[in-house]
Amino acid sequence: MASVKITRALVSVFYKDNLEPIIHFLGKQGVEFVSTGGTQEFIEKLGYPVVPVENLTNYPSIFGGRVKTLHPAIFGGILYRRENSGDLSQAKEFKIGPIDLVIVDLYPFEETVAKGGSEEDIIEKIDIGGISLIRAAAKNFNDVLIVSARTHYSRLLELLHAKNGYSDLVDRKQFAALAFDVTSHYDSAIFQYFNKEQRLPRFKASIQQGKELRYGENPHQQGIYYGDLESLFEQLNGKELSYNNLVDVDAAVNLVKEFEGETAFVIIKHTNACGVATGADVKAAYLKAFQADTVSAFGGVLACNKPIDLAAAEELNKLFFEILIAPDFEPAALNLLTTKKNRIILQQKQPLTGTRQFKSLLNGVIEQDLDLKTDSKEDLKPVTKRIATATEVEALLFASKICKHTKSNTIVLAVNGQLLASGVGQTSRVDALRQAIEKAKAFGFNLKGAVMASDAFFPFPDCVEIAHEHGIEAVIQPGGSIKDQDSIAFCDTHNMAMVFTGIRHFKH
């Protein structure tokens, strides 16, 4: 049936926001309403008669409302095929009238979990009748229009007005797809709730918001972002975020949040930090971060954990960069920074809250806990005769935070509050160290008194030997190599301080 005139509608919803104009339209078209409970009262108060579900089923709502619509008189009216002679004969035999439109939403299961409801409250919010009605109507999209969430009301009202109370097959199939999106997401949320305790090795992820990107990592690849970006950021200026922009924004905000309680500035290029610093104010922190690599900062993604003032903006405006992220912007600073129309300015509205991460590989998916461990003073185990000074300890912890967010193998060279250089994504730790040393010297840094951080242990003493040659005096690393003692012995012989954390921070 290509075009169906809506003559009978089953309406039973938890949320009644924006439902009223739909009821008025249908009522004025002479549509018969079937409903129950609070929705029935809502429709009747608007002045339209309602056939109670109980009149069709000859059963009252029972078991505390757990069973209301689960009956052939209801499901038959939804599921029987209007062009199937056998179905038509049975519908006539059992006096089952057609239902052309189903407007049903689901109990707020996710909301109840999010609010910390009791297990009893949460279980009672597992919808049975509603989800069954939605699936039945969606299955029979040839004959029935299903509206499964309040977010679809405006689309329905637009359709009703445009087609004067009729629906076409294309319309019904679109709404059916939306309905199965609703039901699959709902079931995934319920599974996730139960699986926190059961820990079944299953992968289920459901995100109902998606945005098609201009392209993926490269122009020949399609890209889509799934998630609610607007809840995290308000875009104050600039062009649309790309796939690569999003990857770098994620790296930037994850790194800068490590410096809670300080004024920190980070500069990211291809997910790795080319500048990180803390300072007395935003301008000072930025200038120190920029100093680490004045070349790579060009076209970078910048992030700060404090509001951007005019003094900082005047310095930032001298640099070509892709994105700047901060919790706020002084009006004068924003006016200056938005003079370049393509420059992306993001105001971060809330912190990242995820605890798990996953990615696809080998025709499957791997999932793990996020690395949420930040090395602290309590984690440090001195292993050398010389104990690191208080200033060195602060520098070591600073370097360790950067190391955690840098692609392995990595070595980070720093002083307290400033990244000097890092070796990134190298196939050997020695190569990473040599890269860092060469880069630091290229930008005019004297490494005398600097510290070194490594994301994993040293299998040989070569890294501490090279570090000593260039004036580095303190080292932080996880430890755990069978040859740890070789590195410790060298440090002892050459008056270097080294601490172990016992925590590896690989990043691939």
Side-chain angles (χ1 to χ4, degrees):
M1 296 178 68
S3 185
V4 173
K5 171 69 175 174
I6 297 169
T7 60
R8 198 166 183 234
L10 171 63
V11 187
S12 180
V13 295
F14 188 90
Y15 295 108
K16 299 166 185 66
D17 326 38
N18 302 316
L19 181 63
E20 183 174 338
I22 294 171
I23 299 301
H24 281 308
F25 182 94
L26 295 172
K28 289 173 183 176
Q29 292 261 323
V31 172
E32 179 182 73
F33 293 107
V34 178
S35 191
T36 184
T39 309
Q40 177 183 339
E41 293 176 12
F42 177 83
I43 297 171
E44 288 173 339
K45 284 181 180 178
L46 295 177
Y48 303 101
V50 176
V51 176
V53 165
E54 293 87 340
N55 288 9
L56 299 179
T57 64
N58 292 317
Y59 273 94
S61 175
I62 57 177
F63 308 128
R66 283 188 167 198
V67 180
K68 289 182 285 191
T69 57
L70 296 167
H71 193 280
I74 301 298
F75 280 85
I78 295 170
L79 282 165
Y80 87 79
R81 292 158 290 186
R82 277 48 162 181
E83 295 182 342
N84 182 291
S85 59
D87 286 8
L88 288 167
S89 176
Q90 286 189 316
K92 184 176 181 180
E93 177 185 355
F94 294 106
K95 299 179 181 179
I96 295 173
I99 295 173
D100 313 302
L101 170 64
V102 175
I103 304 176
V104 173
D105 62 8
L106 299 173
Y107 291 157
F109 177 83
E110 285 183 282
E111 294 88 335
T112 306
V113 172
K115 290 177 182 177
S118 67
E119 182 166 87
E120 182 180 359
D121 288 340
I122 290 169
I123 298 306
E124 285 307 309
K125 290 300 186 292
I126 298 177
D127 207 311
I128 304 300
I131 203 164
S132 301
L133 290 166
I134 291 170
R135 289 177 63 86
K139 177 177 180 176
N140 198 23
F141 65 84
N142 276 319
D143 305 305
V144 181
L145 179 62
I146 172 64
V147 179
S148 53
R150 56 181 166 169
T151 52
H152 306 160
Y153 287 173
S154 60
R155 185 182 296 204
L156 170 63
L157 191 60
E158 184 180 332
L159 169 65
L160 294 174
H161 281 291
K163 299 188 176 176
N164 196 31
Y166 283 80
S167 70
D168 294 336
L169 183 60
V170 171
D171 305 320
R172 296 191 296 275
K173 199 165 187 178
Q174 287 175 344
F175 275 90
L178 291 170
F180 285 120
D181 172 47
V182 168
T183 59
S184 62
H185 178 81
Y186 195 77
D187 282 337
S188 292
I190 294 169
F191 170 78
Q192 299 290 10
Y193 171 76
F194 279 92
N195 208 40
K196 283 182 180 178
E197 180 180 328
Q198 302 302 321
R199 305 291 292 177
L200 300 176
R202 309 286 188 271
F203 179 78
K204 296 183 189 297
S206 177
I207 301 174
Q208 290 184 291
Q209 291 175 281
K211 178 180 175 60
E212 190 167 334
L213 304 172
R214 296 196 304 274
Y215 50 81
E217 198 163 6
N218 299 292
H220 64 278
Q221 296 171 268
Q222 183 186 17
I224 301 175
Y225 170 76
Y226 297 103
D228 185 5
L229 203 62
E230 291 182 2
S231 69
L232 287 174
F233 304 103
E234 181 179 355
Q235 184 165 344
L236 304 176
N237 191 67
K239 59 187 179 181
E240 184 179 333
L241 286 159
S242 70
Y243 180 100
N244 291 331
N245 289 158
L246 291 170
V247 173
D248 283 339
V249 166
D250 181 72
V253 296
N254 273 293
L255 176 53
V256 81
K257 77 176 183 178
E258 294 281 357
F259 301 96
E260 188 176 350
E262 302 176 272
T263 298
F265 205 101
V266 307
I267 303 172
I268 296 292
K269 203 70 174 288
H270 295 292
T271 75
N272 293 303
C274 58
V276 183
T278 57
D281 53 43
V282 175
K283 176 181 174 181
Y286 163 67
L287 289 174
K288 286 168 65 180
F290 178 65
Q291 188 181 16
D293 187 341
T294 57
V295 175
S296 297
F298 183 87
V301 173
L302 286 53
C304 184
N305 60 0
K306 300 293 183 184
I308 304 297
D309 56 25
L310 181 59
E314 288 173 340
E315 291 295 333
L316 288 161
N317 200 48
K318 299 173 184 176
L319 175 69
F320 169 76
F321 60 85
E322 287 274 347
I323 303 172
L324 173 61
I325 309 151
D328 204 357
F329 298 82
E330 287 185 1
L334 186 61
N335 288 338
L336 177 61
L337 292 167
T338 55
T339 54
K340 293 180 172 63
K341 66 177 184 178
N342 287 331
R343 178 185 280 166
I344 298 170
I345 306 295
L346 299 178
Q347 182 175 350
Q348 188 171 355
K349 298 192 282 190
Q350 59 176 306
L352 302 181
T353 56
T355 59
R356 304 281 291 172
Q357 65 180 165
F358 58 87
K359 63 180 177 181
S360 60
L361 52 74
L362 299 174
N363 295 334
V365 173
I366 53 173
E367 183 180 15
Q368 66 172 353
D369 296 330
L370 282 170
D371 184 0
L372 299 176
K373 172 62 180 173
T374 299
D375 296 331
S376 66
K377 290 180 182 179
E378 291 71 30
D379 298 314
L380 304 186
K381 177 187 175 184
V383 293
T384 52
K385 293 176 182 177
R386 185 171 84 75
I387 303 300
T389 66
T391 300
E392 286 174 332
V393 166
E394 293 301 322
L396 290 167
L397 291 173
F398 174 85
S400 175
K401 290 174 182 178
I402 302 168
C403 217
K404 169 184 166 183
H405 293 273
T406 305
K407 188 171 178 65
S408 300
N409 287 310
T410 185
I411 293 289
V412 169
L413 305 180
V415 292
N416 191 14
Q418 186 179 27
L419 169 67
L420 302 183
S422 57
V424 176
Q426 298 300 303
T427 52
S428 84
R429 208 155 298 282
V430 170
D431 285 345
L433 175 55
R434 292 193 186 281
Q435 181 190 57
I437 291 169
E438 181 180 344
K439 189 171 183 180
K441 291 190 172 182
F443 288 99
F445 290 110
N446 184 346
L447 294 176
K448 176 66 178 175
V451 304
M452 175 173 71
S454 174
D455 58 341
F457 63 64
F458 298 125
F460 304 102
D462 43 11
C463 281
V464 291
E465 292 169 1
I466 296 168
H468 172 68
E469 289 174 16
H470 294 275
I472 294 162
E473 298 179 353
V475 180
I476 184 170
Q477 59 137 319
S481 168
I482 58 173
K483 294 189 175 182
D484 276 344
Q485 192 55 47
D486 293 350
S487 294
I488 293 170
F490 181 88
C491 288
D492 283 340
T493 302
H494 296 86
N495 199 35
M496 296 174 68
M498 185 159 63
V499 296
F500 286 179
T501 63
I503 302 293
R504 190 180 72 185
H505 291 294
F506 270 165
K507 187 171 186 288
H508 293 109

